[in-house]
Amino acid sequence: MEPDGCLDSSLPGECPSSAVTQALSQILHHLTCQESRRNKARNAALDDLRVLIDSTECARLCGGDDPSSSPPVPAVLGQVAKALEKLASPPKEQEGRSDRHSGVAQKATEVGALFLQQLGKIEAAKNSFCPAWKTGLRHLAGPVYIFAVTHTLEQPWTNQRSREVAGKVLALLLKVSECGSVAGFLHGENEDEKGSFSLIMGLLKPDMNKESWKNNPATKYVFSWTLKQVTRPWLNQYLERVFPPSLLISDDYQTENKILGVHCLHHIVLNVPAADLLQYNRAQVLYHALFNHLYSPEYQLIQAVLLCLLDLFPILEKDLHWKGGIARPTTHCEEVLQLVLTHMEPEHRLLLRRTYARNLPAFVKRLGILTIRHLKRLERVIIGYLEVYDGPEEEARLKIMETLKLLLQYAWPRVSCRLVVLLKALLKLVCDVARDSSLTPELVKSSLLDEATDCLILLDHCSQGQVKSLLAKIPQSCDDSKVVKCISKVQQASKETSYAET
């Protein structure tokens, strides 16, 4: 394939823009054709493109020599860049196909070399003070960026070589764009400078609707990674572009996609002003989407959802003020806590138990005195989790005792009637840990005993010294030094407290 003699010219720089445009159009046709021998045609097209770029002056590729040509050379070159990006993208995922990504890394390496060549020409035009270099870059920047992100991240369709080439492409793109970071490239280095985020989202949009977003397995990662580069105060400008795709990904049946979508939504919650999220009921839509995920048995998803919800509650409950005289309305945080406690009681899977216990203290902190509404169920969950060994790290029991300490601080007027039940559970834990001969590290055992001691001291304060009197005879009849040491700390702390002042 010879692009109309342009490659055979003895003076390629003298080749008119119309001939370059025609040659690029032929190359574009061969890159996008669907004929049976397309691989051979595409390989020839890549070779011809490499020769054409090398033999054409940088100013001509940027359209600087003939800005009135139709279609402009940079526009056609941009279409070629889009075709190259599609050529190097991984194929649609198919069940039962383990080799679906074979050959993608090799294509990406070849395409990356072509992008480096094109960016090098634009850099040369820039260094030679050709004013058209910005036009050339504008048409290339979007496809080149999507290609670079697709193949820079470690994915099944990449290898070390393709990632290195993609990294070089991204670095050169930032250099030519005069941007110090990807974030600067996306939202602009200065306040009055428009970045490329809208351009990138516009290119991704056709592949981010309900019917097409799984056609290219890289699209969701490019969208997610790009979204997370843009933070306050820029992200709210693009909320309409990023909110629907994030909801779409999170609503998938695959856990991996659900988690990815929830992470995108969490980034939006953290970086978009509350007023924008409350507008058009977006925050409520987001809340209900996240709430439905709480019925999942996947602990990674539950962890991501709970973290996102905890940051969403202040936005949802921003305008809720109790005026007295009527019952205080149930908050969104309380609704989630009720469901979490319902799931925690019968849960026997350790990873889920740890996930729930890890986030429970944050809910108690958030609700404060309102945890009194959930005291009965919290009491059952706390006692149940204190009884169960949680593996060498004992994360669940440590977090449950952190929850208990917060509960004793916020709900202390209601604790005295639960004194005996909580005291028995804590003493049983102390005795179990003291006698524990498992592989639990001594540091973890020490932490458990310290936390239990702190809970006993707080319980004693809440009950006006009743714990001290109930524990008075234990040191005389117990020969376990760890248990005795724990009880002694509680008694010593009680002596130093004047309950008349509390």
Side-chain angles (χ1 to χ4, degrees), residues 415-427:
V415 170
S416 57
C417 60
R418 294 171 169 81
L419 171 62
V420 175
V421 176
L422 294 173
L423 181 57
K424 284 182 178 179
L426 288 169
L427 286 177

Side-chain angles (χ1 to χ4, degrees), residues 266 270 302-312 359 363:
H266 195 182
L270 292 173
I302 295 294
Q303 175 66 22
V305 168
L306 291 178
L307 289 177
C308 186
L309 282 170
L310 285 166
D311 286 318
L312 181 64
N359 293 280
F363 280 88

Side-chain angles (χ1 to χ4, degrees), residues 61-83:
L61 283 177
C62 295
D65 65 327
D66 187 8
S68 62
S69 64
S70 181
V73 173
V76 182
L77 194 60
Q79 293 298 317
V80 172
K82 291 180 182 178

Side-chain angles (χ1 to χ4, degrees), residues 92-388:
K92 182 179 180 179
E93 296 182 5
Q94 298 177 4
E95 293 184 6
R97 287 284 305 277
S98 59
D99 61 337
R100 62 182 182 273
H101 297 314
S102 60
V104 176
Q106 178 60 35
K107 287 181 184 176
T109 302
E110 297 174 6
V111 169
L114 283 168
F115 280 145
L116 287 172
Q117 190 181 11
Q118 294 175 57
L119 289 172
K121 283 285 186 176
I122 293 176
E123 185 179 29
K126 175 184 174 183
N127 293 336
S128 61
F129 304 104
C130 173
W133 71 270
K134 290 185 178 180
T135 303
L137 180 62
R138 185 172 67 250
H139 288 280
L140 283 179
V144 170
Y145 172 86
I146 293 174
F147 164 83
V149 177
T150 297
H151 298 280
T152 300
L153 306 176
E154 188 167 349
Q155 297 289 351
W157 55 82
T158 66
N159 59 25
Q160 183 177 357
R161 177 58 183 159
S162 66
R163 288 193 293 270
E164 288 177 356
V165 172
K168 291 179 180 178
V169 171
L170 184 58
L172 185 55
L173 175 62
L174 296 180
K175 180 182 177 183
V176 176
S177 304
E178 300 178 341
C179 296
S181 64
V182 173
F185 171 77
L186 293 171
H187 58 60
E189 291 285 340
N190 305 309
E191 292 184 4
D192 57 345
E193 181 182 351
K194 185 179 179 181
S196 301
F197 191 76
S198 291
L199 171 65
I200 304 302
M201 290 296 118
L203 292 174
L204 292 177
K205 185 177 180 179
D207 295 327
M208 285 303 296
N209 59 59
K210 190 174 182 180
E211 290 74 27
S212 64
W213 74 278
K214 286 192 174 183
N215 290 341
N216 182 349
T219 302
K220 59 189 177 186
Y221 296 110
V222 175
F223 170 80
S224 172
W225 192 84
T226 301
L227 168 64
K228 292 174 183 177
Q229 307 307 307
V230 182
T231 56
R232 286 178 183 265
W234 298 280
L235 188 58
N236 64 301
Q237 305 171 37
Y238 313 106
L239 185 56
E240 286 297 330
R241 285 183 175 269
V242 299
F243 189 60
S246 299
L247 282 173
L248 176 66
I249 298 173
S250 72
D251 195 36
D252 192 50
Y253 69 93
Q254 292 180 305
T255 302
E256 176 192 359
N257 292 332
K258 289 180 181 180
I259 295 172
L260 186 68
V262 171
H263 285 159
C264 291
L265 293 171
H266 195 182
H267 181 79
I268 292 171
V269 169
L270 292 173
N271 291 281
V272 171
D276 292 297
L277 287 176
L278 292 170
Q279 193 175 25
Y280 306 121
N281 222 27
R282 292 189 189 101
Q284 284 290 346
V285 171
L286 176 52
Y287 170 73
H288 289 296
L290 294 171
F291 190 87
N292 291 335
H293 288 316
L294 291 175
Y295 292 94
S296 169
E298 301 294 336
Y299 74 95
Q300 299 107 320
L301 176 60
I302 295 294
Q303 175 66 22
V305 168
L306 291 178
L307 289 177
C308 186
L309 282 170
L310 285 166
D311 286 318
L312 181 64
F313 292 146
I315 298 171
L316 288 167
E317 299 165 5
K318 186 176 182 180
D319 296 325
L320 293 181
H321 299 290
W322 185 48
K323 299 178 181 179
I326 57 175
R328 189 190 293 265
T330 301
T331 65
H332 298 88
C333 184
E334 288 184 85
E335 289 178 350
V336 174
L337 179 60
Q338 287 172 358
L339 183 61
V340 168
L341 292 175
T342 299
H343 290 167
M344 286 183 76
E345 276 195 76
E347 187 56 63
H348 63 278
R349 288 163 288 194
L350 286 178
L351 292 175
L352 263 176
R353 288 170 65 90
R354 290 169 187 161
T355 301
Y356 288 133
R358 186 183 305 128
N359 293 280
L360 196 55
F363 280 88
V364 176
K365 284 181 182 178
R366 172 74 189 163
L367 289 175
I369 189 64
L370 290 182
T371 51
I372 286 179
R373 288 179 167 183
H374 314 278
L375 206 51
K376 288 184 179 180
R377 185 167 288 177
L378 272 167
E379 176 191 322
R380 292 198 300 268
V381 167
I382 288 170
I383 292 173
Y385 275 58
L386 288 179
E387 291 176 348
V388 179

